[in-house]
Amino acid sequence: MSSIESFIRGLPKAELHLHIEGTLEPEMVFALAHKHGMALRYPSVQALREAYNFTDLQSFLDVYYAGAAVLRDESDFHALTWAYLCRAHEQGVVHAEIFFDPQTHTVRGVAIDAVIGGIRRALLDAERTFGMTHRLILCFLRHLSAADAMRTLEEALPHAAGIAAVGLDSAESGNPPAKFAAVFARARRQGFLTVAHAGEEGPPDYIREALDLLEVSRIDHGVRIEADPALVQRLVRDQVPLTVCPLSNVMLKVFARMEDHNLKRLLDLGLCVTVNSDDPAYFGGYIAENYLAVHRALGLSRADIAQLARNSIHASFLSAAEKSVWMGKIAEFVATAQRA
Ligand code: HPA
Ligand code: ZN
């Protein structure tokens, strides 16, 4: 392993933009399909992986929702989440904030209790086993109606103690944050924090709506913000974090090549940029591969990489005391690496 690779993997960091359904590896798709006696359209694991050739967000979402159909019971959600947490732990993730999409499962007749129960059991296992902390974020599918989102919120309320925030994902264009203003207002009244995908394929105005109407703590993706300098200034001033997902952006053709990605420019503008993996089973890498890809393509220095890790802790929903512990550990890790 190169020295930069071991620096990246060893650096304590948080992952803040991760769809648990997007960690479903082809091997697990086949194992769960076999368990449940389901037929798959693909003859082999390799054939399935080769089908991951996306032209845009929607072309990915079609494959992603089809794959999630093999997740049927509590133990499936536990196995999925546990596999992700083990890989994240190996890559230096000390704290994970995880999205899940209940509507993808409840529409197929899977009970929300099985979804949340399995995910939470794995999160608690990781806390006991690795000392890894977590937050769980319930995402509404924005291509569905606001009424459907409101019903989903009501259904999740008995599990509110285990859910830190609500978010918004799925097809962005034509589904502005404004559509969900009432749902998010209700969620905030129930004590949930809020986040939203905005400015991935959609315009900077969606970022503004997410801030003004949904009162989000962070913007997921947000890379299209550059087109609106006044909005950039606002996010720099308020230090609203962006959870950027470099490999995702290239796989979904938001940027043609990693060399074209604007992450370094956003960082240099003073935005609180973080690096995350989004849907690692589909996009060719987990968090360390995302850090490594931007290091290689954009020439990020070790100082930039350490800044990204500090940003991830700062942007997390950890307490101020927990954040200060991790900032100290990052400083210690960087100092030790410099002496080596
Ligand atoms: N964007 C929107 N919805 C998603 C994504 C994404 O990158 N990944 C999983 N659901
Ligand atoms: Zn995402």
Side-chain angles (χ1 to χ4, degrees), residues 17 19 197 221 278:
H17 185 154
H19 302 264
H197 284 53
H221 292 296
D278 209 5

Side-chain angles (χ1 to χ4, degrees), residues 52-70:
Y52 296 172
N53 207 335
F54 310 116
T55 51
D56 58 9
L57 175 58
Q58 189 59 54
S59 68
F60 155 70
L61 291 171
D62 294 341
V63 174
Y64 164 83
Y65 295 131
V70 300

Side-chain angles (χ1 to χ4, degrees), residues 188 205-216 234:
R188 290 196 308 278
D205 263 350
Y206 284 17
I207 298 175
R208 198 173 272 110
E209 275 187 20
L211 293 167
D212 293 338
L213 304 180
L214 309 185
E215 300 184 22
V216 296
R234 174 177 172 185

